[in-house]
């Protein structure tokens, strides 16, 4: 049977896209994503305990240390290094995201491509092109769904990130169309997340989910390269394919194919100003503006009332998970807890999400003050955008109201390059391994010229293979 329309088009796009075909704006975005991701991976080595078993397993079970595990000073085999870095990249919920598709397009591709760049000696241009292809495919696949994936029982962002990473990785490795379909087919047999992984209060799987995506992507590529003929017929669009399984075939083909290679969704990424779920950021921006503008003390706040869109309910419900989170991953996916942190600290920084904070009664009582209702005119299925939210802080001095439409970090209100570089350096302070600070300060500038580097692997080794235990 011939390869289906979706699968064939995506494979051709992945394998035939040249670096010269990619607009400068898209290339700049990939550089920002690489810098941002390296920083958040390094910080997660000390700030998210759930990552430690993945790092330990990767180091203990690798006969080689060819591929660097960011922030640890250690290396592992390509598959296990991708797994460890994949566990790190989303652990703090601080990496880039795509608002239109509500996905994190680079969470599998960057760990996977970092591993491949060291094991296969990729140059900077190939790395950037593979990242662009991976991210574009992940965004378009997720955005094409006409149904709510969680409502259907799936948690699809890590799945689509994995498939994008496979197709971008196939381009980097120079696989042909048949071997690329092999890799995609192998990957589809490995990466699956039920929706329950996103809403179980004690589970850490939401934090480390991309360990499985990145590991599956690299393993699938290497197996396809080794000759495994796995090529499924129409793996995306077939009558028993992925879209049938996930959404009963309810997806928009035009979203995937229209303008592919000409209009780039992966250029419109959010770089997070705060280390938590992007759906919380509109409320955070408004709350922080109000408490700082009016110098509101925590003990003054009697109620934090929200007028929300239906999509905000996923960070407000179920009550027992969102108002008293049991894990750091659940806390970052909780609007009440994150707003409580922001009100208490008049800020929201990386080090505020700590295990001890989950048991802090002051914070839990502040979270209880969060109430909400659907905004006037909101209907089921109308998400209204993550950023559009109204916050009313009720105090003894009166009520203070802010309707938010765009939050800091969105493409329409981007972080400056200086702030992105500061975010990176702030993250590096929490790295398990302490690297030469003078060298690390030069890294943002070197990533700006990544396309000139003959070896990304040598670049990663130069910056991240030598260091000393930070004692954290």
């Amino acid at each position: 049977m011939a390869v289906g329309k979706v699968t064939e088009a995506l494979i051709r796009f992945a394998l035939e896209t040249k670096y010269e075909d990619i607009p400068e704006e898209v290339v700049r975005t990939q550089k920002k994503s690489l810098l941002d991701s390296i920083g958040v991976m390094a910080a997660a080595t000390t700030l998210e305990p759930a990552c430690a078993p993945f790092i330990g397993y990767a180091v203990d079970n690798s006969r080689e240390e060819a591929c660097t595990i960011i922030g640890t000073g250690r290396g592992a085999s390509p598959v296990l290094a991708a797994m460890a870095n994949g566990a790190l990249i989303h652990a703090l919920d601080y990496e880039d995201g795509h608002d239109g598709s509500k996905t994190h397009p680079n969470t599998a591709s960057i760990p996977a491509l970092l591993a491949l760049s060291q094991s296969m000696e990729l140059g900077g241009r190939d790395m950037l092109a593979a990242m662009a292809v991976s991210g574009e495919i992940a965004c378009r696949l997720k955005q094409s769904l006409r149904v709510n994936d969680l409502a259907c029982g799936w948690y699809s962002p890590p799945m689509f990130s994995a498939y994008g990473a496979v197709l971008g990785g196939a381009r980097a490795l120079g696989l042909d169309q048949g071997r690329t379909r092999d890799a995609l087919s192998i990957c589809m047999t490995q990466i699956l997340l039920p929706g329950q992984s996103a809403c179980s209060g004690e589970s850490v799987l939401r934090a480390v989910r991309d360990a499985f995506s990145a590991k599956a992507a690299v393993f699938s590529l290497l197996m396809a390269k080794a000759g495994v003929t796995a090529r499924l017929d129409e793996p995306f669009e077939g009558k028993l394919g992925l879209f049938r399984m996930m959404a009963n075939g309810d997806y928009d083909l035009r979203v995937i194919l229209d303008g592919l290679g000409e209009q780039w969704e992966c250029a419109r990424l959010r770089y997070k100003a705060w280390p938590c779920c992007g759906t919380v950021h509109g409320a955070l921006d408004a709350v922080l503006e109000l408490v700082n503008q009016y110098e509101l003390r925590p003990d003054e706040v009697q109620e934090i009332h929200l007028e929300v869109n239906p999509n905000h309910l996923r960070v407000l419900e179920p009550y027992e998970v969102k108002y008293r989170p049991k894990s750091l991953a659940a806390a970052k996916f909780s609007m009440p807890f994150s707003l409580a942190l922001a009100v208490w600290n008049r800020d929201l920084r990386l080090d505020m999400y700590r295990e001890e904070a989950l048991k802090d009664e002051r914070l839990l009582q502040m979270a209880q003050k969060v109430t909400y209702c659907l905004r006037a005119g909101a209907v089921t299925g109308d998400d209204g955008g993550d950023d559009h939210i109204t916050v009313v802080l009720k105090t003894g001095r009166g009520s203070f109201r802010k309707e938010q439409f765009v939050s800091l970090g969105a493409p329409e209100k981007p972080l400056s390059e200086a702030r992105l570089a500061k975010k990176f350096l702030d993250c590096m302070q929490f790295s398990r391994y302490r690297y030469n600070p003078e060298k690390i300060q030069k890294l943002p500038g070197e990533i700006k010229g990544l396309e000139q580097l003959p070896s990304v692997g040598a670049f990663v080794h130069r910056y991240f293979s030598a260091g000393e235990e930070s004692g954290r």
Side-chain angles (χ1 to χ4, degrees), residues 92-370:
L92 303 181
D93 212 337
Y94 205 17
E95 80 283 15
D96 64 62
H98 181 256
D99 288 355
S101 60
K102 296 183 174 60
T103 194
H104 297 276
N106 292 310
T107 48
S109 62
I110 286 179
L113 292 169
L114 283 175
L116 293 173
S117 74
Q118 294 178 83
S119 60
M120 305 291 183
E121 285 298 319
L122 298 182
R125 290 159 70 93
D126 282 334
M127 177 78 173
L128 291 166
M131 283 179 59
V133 164
S134 298
E136 186 66 14
I137 289 171
C139 290
R140 285 173 175 263
L141 286 173
K142 174 66 167 64
Q143 200 162 3
S144 73
L145 294 181
R146 288 197 183 106
V147 299
N148 183 316
D149 56 332
L150 282 177
C152 293
W154 303 102
Y155 192 34
S156 65
M159 299 165 64
F160 289 126
S161 182
Y163 308 143
V166 166
L167 290 165
R171 182 212 179 278
L173 296 182
L175 300 186
D176 63 19
Q177 290 193 25
R179 290 301 172 204
T180 300
R181 185 151 56 105
D182 291 334
L184 185 60
S185 301
I186 295 168
C187 188
M188 283 189 177
T189 68
Q190 296 178 78
I191 176 63
L192 171 70
L193 276 87
Q196 205 64 42
S197 62
C199 56
S200 294
E202 296 182 80
S203 175
V204 300
L205 286 178
R206 187 180 177 277
V208 297
R209 67 195 193 188
D210 292 287
F212 313 110
S213 302
K215 173 178 175 286
V218 174
F219 177 79
S220 302
L221 287 163
L222 296 181
M223 289 298 97
K225 190 171 185 236
V228 177
T229 305
R231 52 199 72 175
L232 298 175
D233 296 328
E234 301 181 333
F236 286 116
E237 68 274 44
K239 65 179 181 179
L240 297 176
L242 182 83
F243 286 122
R244 182 65 163 175
M245 178 182 74
M246 289 184 59
N248 200 29
D250 195 3
Y251 70 101
D252 191 338
L253 179 66
R254 294 169 301 176
V255 172
I256 301 174
L257 300 184
D258 285 2
L260 185 63
E262 299 173 359
Q263 301 166 12
W264 292 80
E265 285 295 321
C266 69
R268 292 184 52 77
L269 297 187
R270 171 188 295 273
Y271 294 96
K272 290 187 174 183
W274 302 287
C276 60
C277 176
T279 306
V280 179
H281 283 214
L284 271 175
D285 207 340
V287 162
L288 287 170
E289 181 177 332
L290 290 174
V291 297
N292 285 296
Q293 180 180 350
Y294 297 104
E295 299 183 349
L296 298 176
R297 300 187 313 273
D299 60 353
E300 288 185 275
V301 177
Q302 300 168 352
E303 183 181 355
I304 306 169
H305 184 68
L306 311 173
E307 297 172 13
V308 304
N309 298 313
N311 58 305
H312 291 121
L313 297 179
R314 68 193 185 111
V315 290
L316 289 161
E317 300 172 356
Y319 179 89
E320 64 276 8
V321 174
K322 303 306 179 185
Y323 282 79
R324 297 188 75 91
K326 300 292 193 301
S327 70
L328 294 178
K332 290 169 176 289
F333 204 50
S334 160
M335 186 175 286
F337 190 82
S338 296
L339 294 182
L341 277 174
V343 170
W344 265 103
N345 297 285
R346 304 167 75 103
D347 196 359
L348 191 61
R349 301 187 307 272
L350 266 175
D351 55 346
M352 292 177 184
Y353 286 96
R354 295 280 196 173
E355 293 282 356
E356 54 267 28
L358 302 178
K359 301 174 184 177
D360 188 330
E361 283 301 323
R362 299 174 309 160
L363 290 171
L364 295 174
Q365 289 172 16
M366 183 64 72
Q368 299 297 316
K369 295 180 181 180
V370 174

Side-chain angles (χ1 to χ4, degrees), residues 5-77:
K5 189 172 185 179
V6 173
T7 304
E8 180 181 16
L10 292 180
I11 290 176
R12 288 175 63 87
F13 167 67
L15 301 187
E16 296 178 6
T17 297
K18 299 179 176 62
Y19 175 82
E20 293 77 13
D21 298 330
I22 303 173
E24 288 185 15
E25 178 189 10
V26 177
V27 172
R28 285 196 300 271
T29 303
Q30 308 318 304
K31 293 175 182 179
K32 290 179 182 178
S33 292
L34 183 59
L35 176 70
D36 199 54
S37 296
I38 287 173
V40 299
M41 284 190 282
T45 59
T46 62
L47 294 179
E48 178 48 83
C51 297
F54 292 86
I55 296 168
Y57 184 89
V59 171
D60 293 344
N61 290 277
S62 294
R63 294 183 180 179
E64 55 177 316
E65 293 194 1
C67 302
T68 302
I69 303 173
I70 298 295
T72 69
R74 301 299 300 272
S77 66

